[in-house]
């Protein structure tokens, strides 16, 4: 591989500026909210209210570099490495489960510790899985549908189970939903997708009702008031944040629910902090921002030059927006509790970095849009 | 990929996501307008949280009311008149008020944080469209005093710890801050809680335990002072404590109420309770003698003693806290009797003091005992007790064998200060006969006078007590560590017991025993607190002469016999001598007197220098 093929500058234009602006706005809001949500907790735990802010800023800068690097790398390159991605994904997930290597927090083994940093491989794995699935489903295939469906779905099932063993039900479900949506987008016949869905019902029954705490969470989600000081406590505290926030919020930094009421206010429940501090308007804007991000990825997708690019742009958009919607759903009590971060906003280095890389790839695809290509051609003619 | 299908599916997925987003937005609206959660305005209106007071009525927790005035301009009938009247009260130009009242909004602040008088005046106006919103702030005027007992409230004025938590319903006048359906409409204001705590005794106790924890670099320490006759807790001190005004700055170790929540192996203090069981069943053992060889083998386990104590009576066993003697004496009691006695004294079950998170400790039923258990229990192992259990049990002994359930809330008052309910009357139950209780008290006096607890000896009052030092069991290593919990539980004054006091020093870095670390705390608290309760001191003047052994008293001219005297006795005799003659003295070593200068019977002149040499070994005297 030579560098020239890696960075093919001849046939591309400017990246989608609206998309870039959206990413920066989201990440910027994330930094501000991170400080607001974590300051009290950080002061109490580490004696330094900037503890999380400093780390998140460092990750933000790293993510920014990643964004600009990846928006230079030709997205078509990834097609060649999907098998490697698959192998790395499964190896990483297997490795994190090995006792002594994986780093356990609150009973879940989701992280690697590298010096002072902890890295959550499942975030990276989701991105690599999306690229793999996009490659498989975007390629024209003469084999019959069952076989084309069977192998990737087995891969998804294996990765799903590995993530579930951590255990991380939220990330596993997120991956599954994104995978099915990519399958759907690729134009696969409905019949097969419906069949897949029906076949998976008994498996979900086992996965949920065989694990006590998952069942509890689901029951608690249906009626948090039935155990409001136990399993329903966090969701109710989150509701109170929404109520306290009112229309416009109490102002950034002035929320009180984040102080020892909301669990992990700077990670999984950061949306509740938004609700209290920025109010109903703030939360609706957040949902709007994520929808807008998805809309830009649809625009990039439609104008992408090849099937791989089209499906990849959509897949990356879905990766971000589905995770965001699961997280928000939990906080507003529409979904049972899981531990998924809110993309770009929640504290967490791996998550932010992967989101920025996804953004970078999306931006890169946008540079090959057909209109832009024509522009380049014209330019080339002028130069000649 | 078929481009037409692809576009249709993009459209479907966009529709799907928009649909989810729409549902979320609807959900946000429903959360926003839901009246089921967080009705903060209603939370504040008309509901003032009750005070927490000490026994003398000094406030330990109070809610400060702040009034904020707002208006709904659409309800105001006459804006100019309203503005005029308000202007006079709140010193804001009528023009400005009128401007706000003419606003098109349905909510405008007029003035925030008004004091009570002005709020009352505005209320008297009785004008339509004007509203006062009460905002309460909980304040703890004594900062950290009795913080572990009083507890604290969270940001929404709901008790999270201590009395604030346990009596939240009484204090707030309702159950919950965010579930209106559970508000009892009959209760509109919170009631006051009067504690049995005396802030003077509490303060002394906190200062002394703080000093001790610092001196011994311990993990934590507590002092529990209990009124023997009523079972009321007069002080419940812990160091490190916390300041409830800034509770969020402290960790759980500081905020936890060790005295009721944590249990520990008591060690030797429990010998007194075991002895109660023995004496109750076999009064004959009082005449028996036991020999201590320094160790004893029970069920293939060697139990060591603190020394080789030789031949001992029961009283000596308690004085020296002899493990071997205790185990031998316990042969005359059955497992069942021992278990029943411990149960009667309140071990293995919650005392019912009514504080949140009370632990019942661990006392296994007889069926689960091993061959070693009975013997371990007599010396305070294989059992886990809370401080409050231990103090209550010893109070029962001091109270002539009548156990009274400990209490910390004296009464509940209505918001206007009138009595709502008095909790003081507590029925007692006999747990041991009066004779046995008296004997045990006498034995415990021996501990302070010349046993393991001499550091609690006071020239002002006579005390009885028992030391305890137990090794900390490491759950991780599944074995005993060399770290200790040192304790002393004492009673004073001896002749008419008034107070029972427990001192626990958890994990002193210097590994000192209960006699060394806890006794001085007991002594200094008691010497300050007993005069305050009005107890008479020992008779002054040439006191205690007859307390000395034959030939050991000072006759005014010749040197008395100090042999075998322990330090407190020496000091007593020396100070006795200083009353009649001018002399200097020096005491070397520790333990009991082995030699003295001048020798016994030598003449003593004014300005005489006396040297006493003490050592520990061969302490099997009397």
């Amino acid at each position: 591989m030579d560098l020239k093929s890696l960075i093919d500058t001849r046939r591309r234009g400017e990246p989608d500026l609206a998309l870039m602006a959206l990413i920066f706005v989201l990440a910027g809001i994330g930094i501000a909210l991170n400080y607001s949500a974590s300051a009290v907790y950080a002061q109490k735990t580490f004696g330094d209210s900037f503890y999380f802010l400093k780390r998140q800023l460092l990750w933000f800068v790293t993510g920014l570099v990643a964004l600009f690097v990846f928006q230079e790398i030709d997205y078509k390159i990834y097609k060649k490495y999907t098998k490697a991605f698959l192998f790395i994904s499964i190896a990483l997930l297997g490795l994190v489960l090995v006792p002594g290597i994986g780093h356990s927090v609150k009973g879940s083994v989701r992280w690697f510790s590298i010096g002072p940093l902890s890295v959550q491989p499942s975030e990276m794995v989701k991105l690599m899985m999306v690229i793999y699935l996009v490659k498989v489903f975007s390629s024209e295939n003469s084999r019959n549908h069952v076989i084309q469906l069977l192998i990737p779905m087995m891969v998804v099932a294996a990765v799903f189970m590995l993530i579930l063993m951590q255990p991380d039900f939220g990330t596993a479900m997120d991956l599954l939903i994104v995978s099915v949506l990519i399958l759907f987008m690729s134009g696969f016949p409905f019949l097969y997708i419906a069949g897949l869905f029906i076949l998976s019902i008994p498996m979900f029954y086992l996965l949920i009702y065989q694990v006590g705490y998952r069942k509890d969470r689901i029951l608690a989600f249906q009626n948090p008031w039935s155990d409001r000081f136990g399993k329903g406590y966090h969701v109710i505290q989150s509701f109170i944040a929404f109520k306290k926030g009112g229309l416009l919020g109490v102002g950034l930094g002035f929320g009180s629910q984040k102080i020892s009421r909301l669990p992990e206010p700077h990670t999984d429940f950061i949306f509740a902090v938004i609700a209290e501090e920025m109010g109903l308007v703030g939360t609706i804007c957040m949902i709007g921002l994520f929808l807008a991000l998805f809309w830009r990825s649809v625009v990039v997708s439609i104008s992408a030059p090849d099937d791989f690019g089209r499906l990849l742009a959509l897949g990356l958009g879905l990766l971000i927006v589905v995770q965001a919607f699961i997280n928000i759903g939990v906080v507003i009590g529409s979904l049972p509790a899981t531990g998924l971060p809110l993309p770009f906003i929640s504290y967490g280095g791996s998550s932010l970095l992967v989101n920025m890389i996804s953004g970078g790839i999306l931006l890169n695809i946008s540079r090959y849009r057909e209109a832009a290509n024509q522009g380049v051609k014209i330019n080339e003619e002028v130069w000649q | 990929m078929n481009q037409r299908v692809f576009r249709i599916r993009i459209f479907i997925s966009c529709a799907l996501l928009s649909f989810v987003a729409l549902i979320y937005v609807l959900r946000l609206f429903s959360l926003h307008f839901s009246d089921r959660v967080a009705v903060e305005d209603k939370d504040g209106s008309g509901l003032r949280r009750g005070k927490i007071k000490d026994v003398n009525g000094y406030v330990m927790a109070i809610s400060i009311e702040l009034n904020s005035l707002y208006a709904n301009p659409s309800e105001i009938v006459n804006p100019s008149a309203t503005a005029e009247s308000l202007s006079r009260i709140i010193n804001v130009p009528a023009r400005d008020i009128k401007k706000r009242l003419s606003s098109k909004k349905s909510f405008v602040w007029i003035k925030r944080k008004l004091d009570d008088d002005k709020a009352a005046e505005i209320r008297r106006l009785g004008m339509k469209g004007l509203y006062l919103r009460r905002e309460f702030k909980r304040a703890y005027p004594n900062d950290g005093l009795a913080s572990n007992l009083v507890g604290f409230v969270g940001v929404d004025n709901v008790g999270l710890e201590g009395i604030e938590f346990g009596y939240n319903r009484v204090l707030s006048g309702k159950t919950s801050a965010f579930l209106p359906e559970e508000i009892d409409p009959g209760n509109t204001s919170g009631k006051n809680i009067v504690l049995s705590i005396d802030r003077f005794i509490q303060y002394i106790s906190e200062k002394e335990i703080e000093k001790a924890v610092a001196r011994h670099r311990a993990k934590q320490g507590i002092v529990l002072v209990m009124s023997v006759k009523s079972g009321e807790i007069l002080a419940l001190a812990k160091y490190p404590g916390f300041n409830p005004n800034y509770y969020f700055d402290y960790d759980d170790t500081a905020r936890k109420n060790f005295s009721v929540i944590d249990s520990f192996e008591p060690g030797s203090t429990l010998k007194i309770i075991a002895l109660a069981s023995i004496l109750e069943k076999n009064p004959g053992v009082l005449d028996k003698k036991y020999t201590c060889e320094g160790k004893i083998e029970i069920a293939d386990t060697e139990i060591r003693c603190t020394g080789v104590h030789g031949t001992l009576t029961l009283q000596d066993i308690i004085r020296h806290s002899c493990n071997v003697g205790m185990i031998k004496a316990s042969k005359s009691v059955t497992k069942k009797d021992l278990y029943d006695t411990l149960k009667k004294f309140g071990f293995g079950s919650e005392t019912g003091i009514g504080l949140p998170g009370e632990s019942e400790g661990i006392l296994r039923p007889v069926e689960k005992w091993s061959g070693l258990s009975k013997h371990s229990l007599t010396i305070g192992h294989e059992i886990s007790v809370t401080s409050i259990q231990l103090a209550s049990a010893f109070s029962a002994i001091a109270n002539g064998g009548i156990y009274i359930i400990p209490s910390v809330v004296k009464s509940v008052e209505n918001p206007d200060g009138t009595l709502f309910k008095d909790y003081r009357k507590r029925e007692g139950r006999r747990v041991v006969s009066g004779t046995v209780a008296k004997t045990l008290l006498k034995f415990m006096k021996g501990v302070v006078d010349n046993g393991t607890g001499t550091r609690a000896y006071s020239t002002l009052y006579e005390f009885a007590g028992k030391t305890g030092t137990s090794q900390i069991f490491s759950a991780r290593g599944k074995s005993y560590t060399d770290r200790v919990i040192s304790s002393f539980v004492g009673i004073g004054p001896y002749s008419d017991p008034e107070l029972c006091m427990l001192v626990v020093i958890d994990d002193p870095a210097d590994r000192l025993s209960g006699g060394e670390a806890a006794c001085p705390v007991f002594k200094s608290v008691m010497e300050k607190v007993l005069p305050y309760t009005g107890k008479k001191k020992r008779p002054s003047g040439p006191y205690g002469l007859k307390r000395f052994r034959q030939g050991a008293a000072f006759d005014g001219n010749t040197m008395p016999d100090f042999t075998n005297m322990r330090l407190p006795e020496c000091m007593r005799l020396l100070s006795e001598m200083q009353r009649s003659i001018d002399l200097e003295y020096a005491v070397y070593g520790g333990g009991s007197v082995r030699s003295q200068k001048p020798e016994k019977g030598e003449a003593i002149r004014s300005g005489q220098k006396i040297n006493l040499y003490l050592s520990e070994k061969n302490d099997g005297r009397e």
Side-chain angles (χ1 to χ4, degrees), chain B residues 123-386:
Chain B
R123 245 180 236 116
R124 269 200 296 280
L125 284 178
M127 281 176 159
K128 210 166 168 256
L130 290 181
Y131 299 94
L132 284 163
R133 179 181 159 174
R134 285 217 235 176
E135 297 169 308
F136 289 112
K137 190 184 181 314
R138 197 68 164 162
Y140 302 90
N142 303 313
D143 283 347
L145 194 75
S147 55
N148 293 106
L149 180 68
V150 171
F152 56 88
V153 298
V155 282
D156 47 7
N157 278 333
V158 174
L160 296 180
E161 203 79 75
I163 294 282
E164 294 272 33
F165 174 70
Y167 293 79
N168 189 47
R169 183 176 200 144
V170 180
L171 285 165
S172 62
K174 63 192 167 71
T175 326
S176 156
F178 47 84
L179 283 181
E181 66 248 35
E182 292 190 29
I183 295 178
D184 177 2
N187 274 344
T188 46
S189 271
K191 295 187 167 51
N192 298 336
I193 292 214
V194 182
L195 302 174
S196 60
I197 298 291
D198 185 307
R199 73 169 185 171
F200 172 79
I201 304 178
Q202 178 74 27
Y203 178 78
I204 300 289
S205 306
E206 284 186 10
K207 285 296 140 200
E208 292 298 333
I209 195 64
E210 179 178 349
K211 273 194 262 172
V213 168
R215 189 185 310 130
H216 303 292
R217 281 169 291 128
K219 183 181 160 205
Q220 57 191 348
I222 64 124
V223 164
L224 217 165
V225 183
M226 202 166 158
S227 165
V228 164
K229 292 180 179 105
S230 66
E232 287 176 313
I233 307 291
L234 304 182
L236 196 154
K238 171 167 169 265
Y239 186 85
F242 66 99
N243 183 343
N245 290 315
Y246 307 100
Y247 65 92
F248 34 79
D249 287 341
Y250 298 83
D251 63 9
D252 287 345
T253 322
R255 299 204 301 218
K256 204 157 84 164
N257 189 352
F258 179 90
S259 304
V260 296
I261 294 171
D262 291 305
S263 60
F264 57 94
E265 276 191 305
S268 304
T269 44
L270 210 73
K271 284 175 183 161
I272 296 292
I273 312 297
L275 200 55
S277 165
I278 297 170
L279 289 176
E280 191 87 335
K281 292 289 163 191
N282 302 290
V285 292
L286 277 174
D287 306 323
K288 282 198 182 165
K289 299 231 171 192
Y290 302 88
T291 47
C292 166
E293 302 86 1
K295 59 187 176 189
I296 188 168
E297 197 163 302
I298 302 282
D300 296 329
T301 310
E302 190 183 88
I303 295 178
R304 287 167 171 280
C305 208
T306 46
V308 181
H309 295 115
T311 309
L312 304 151
T313 62
L314 276 183
Q315 174 154 23
D316 298 330
I317 291 174
I318 293 302
R319 248 182 349 107
H320 299 301
S321 201
C322 171
N323 289 343
V324 175
M326 196 62 215
I327 287 168
K328 286 183 174 171
S330 71
K331 290 219 164 67
S332 56
V333 69
T334 64
K335 287 180 181 179
K336 174 118 191 7
D337 286 337
L338 181 60
Y339 176 80
D340 287 346
T341 307
L342 288 169
K343 250 333 208 198
K344 267 199 282 182
F345 271 98
F347 296 107
S349 45
E350 291 170 17
T351 58
I353 187 173
L355 286 173
E358 188 181 357
S359 156
E360 55 183 28
I362 300 167
L363 173 59
R364 291 178 301 166
V366 180
E367 309 86 68
K368 291 196 175 164
W369 289 11
S370 69
L372 190 62
S373 298
K374 187 177 102 180
H375 309 286
S376 301
L377 276 164
T378 58
I379 57 172
H381 285 278
E382 291 196 29
I383 183 174
S384 187
V385 308
T386 62

Side-chain angles (χ1 to χ4, degrees), chain A residues 140 185 188 243 325 332, chain B residues 1 9 13 24 27 34:
Chain A
E140 293 297 334
M185 295 296 196
F188 236 81
K243 187 75 189 172
F325 278 15
I332 63 176
Chain B
M1 265 167 35
R9 296 212 168 170
S13 69
Y24 281 9
R27 174 80 183 159
S34 153

Side-chain angles (χ1 to χ4, degrees), chain B residues 562-579:
Chain B
F562 279 87
T563 314
N564 281 341
M565 274 191 190
R566 287 187 152 259
L567 186 61
E569 293 172 275
C570 298
M571 299 312 292
R572 221 187 310 148
L573 188 48
L574 285 167
S575 56
E576 178 69 19
M577 290 164 77
Q578 277 180 315
R579 281 173 198 274

Side-chain angles (χ1 to χ4, degrees), chain A residues 10 12 14 16 18 27 41 58 165 180 254 258 264 342 359:
Chain A
R10 283 170 303 141
R12 64 186 194 189
E14 289 301 312
D16 188 318
Y41 177 67
L58 197 68
M165 279 161 75
V180 170
F254 293 102
K258 65 196 178 195
E264 321 224 354
L342 187 59

Side-chain angles (χ1 to χ4, degrees), chain A residues 10-24:
Chain A
R10 283 170 303 141
R11 291 178 57 246
R12 64 186 194 189
E14 289 301 312
D16 188 318
L17 287 176
L19 180 61
M20 197 186 267
L22 272 170
I23 291 170
F24 288 162

Side-chain angles (χ1 to χ4, degrees), chain A residues 33-52:
Chain A
L33 276 166
N34 249 293
Y35 177 62
S36 168
S38 71
V40 174
Y41 177 67
Q43 179 68 38
K44 206 168 86 178
T45 317
F46 302 100
D48 174 12
S49 64
F50 297 107
Y51 183 89
F52 291 110

